[in-house]
Amino acid sequence: MTNTLAIYPGSFDPITNGHLDLIRRGSRIFSRLVVAVLTNAEKQPLFTVEERVAMLEEVTRGMSNVSVDTFSGLLVDYAKRRNAGAILRGIRAFSDYEYELQMALTNRKLEPSLETVFLMPAESYGYLSSRLVKEIFSHGGTVKDMVPPAVERRLREKMEAGRARPVAARRR
Ligand SMILES: Nc1ncnc2c1ncn2[C@@H]1O[C@H](COP(=O)(O)OP(=O)(O)O)[C@@H](O)[C@H]1O
Ligand SMILES: [Mg+2]
């Protein structure tokens, strides 16, 4: 195991079994792994940052060298503040490659000493994304093998809260 703190940044809206697979692999390579939720993303998230952090903390509780944090602004600045030596990112299909390459090379330009390390998930998670989970769940499909039980519960609560809201409020 390297004596390196690594940061695993992302939206985690919500955390899936694919993310969790990567966290497990990362926690075996690095001495410490910080899962960092980006708070200034442009996307309109389903879960608040607080909810996403709570879910991440719940599912990583048993992993002693994994912690959860949030950050805004440039990833390289946050990495410097945390004294991180590496960024962890995941690559699923070909489609991830171009975006991830662009990000990694941009971050390297900004901070040459910070390496981005890519890991592949287990084959069965190679198609899995937070977006897909939300889509399937919103149409009543089962996401049982795609997210940890704690996340499935939160999804159900979130959808029930949405349905319970008055129609006028929902349209806004
Ligand atoms: N099923 C998965 N298997 C492996 N890596 C994944 C999976 N889903 C997402 N990732 C990776 O985790 C990281 C964070 O993903 P995500 O939460 O979507 O945040 P972002 O908004 O930065 O893409 C990205 O590197 C993404 O490629
Ligand atoms: Mg993504």
Side-chain angles (χ1 to χ4, degrees), residues 8-12 18-19 22 43 89-90 92 96 100 121 125 128:
Y8 180 28
S11 312
F12 305 104
H19 291 125
L22 233 73
K43 308 173 198 171
R89 294 284 290 180
R92 287 160 292 189
D96 279 333
E100 294 292 341
Y125 303 133
L128 188 51

Side-chain angles (χ1 to χ4, degrees), residues 53-119:
V53 166
M55 285 184 275
L56 282 165
E57 279 175 342
E58 195 169 344
V59 302
T60 61
R61 199 169 286 152
M63 301 178 216
S64 56
N65 65 338
V66 177
S67 58
V68 182
D69 195 9
T70 64
F71 76 103
S72 61
L74 286 179
L75 175 61
V76 292
D77 291 337
Y78 171 69
K80 209 176 287 176
R81 281 204 303 281
R82 297 288 320 238
N83 264 317
I87 301 298
L88 173 65
R89 294 284 290 180
I91 296 206
R92 287 160 292 189
F94 260 148
S95 48
D96 279 333
Y97 180 77
E98 194 166 356
Y99 175 69
E100 294 292 341
L101 177 74
Q102 185 183 13
M103 292 255 294
L105 293 183
T106 304
N107 284 331
R108 178 178 286 165
K109 197 156 215 161
L110 295 171
E111 184 48 64
S113 69
L114 189 66
E115 289 294 350
T116 302
V117 175
F118 293 103
L119 293 178

Side-chain angles (χ1 to χ4, degrees), residues 11-64:
S11 312
F12 305 104
D13 184 41
I15 179 175
T16 68
N17 286 339
H19 291 125
L20 195 56
D21 179 274
L22 233 73
I23 292 169
R24 282 213 187 87
R25 290 172 198 279
S27 73
R28 288 189 211 116
I29 296 173
F30 300 105
S31 56
R32 281 185 66 196
L33 184 65
V34 178
V35 184
V37 179
L38 177 64
T39 64
N40 60 346
E42 283 167 36
K43 308 173 198 171
Q44 201 46 252
L46 175 65
F47 290 99
T48 65
V49 170
E50 291 72 24
E51 289 170 325
R52 283 179 268 159
V53 166
M55 285 184 275
L56 282 165
E57 279 175 342
E58 195 169 344
V59 302
T60 61
R61 199 169 286 152
M63 301 178 216
S64 56

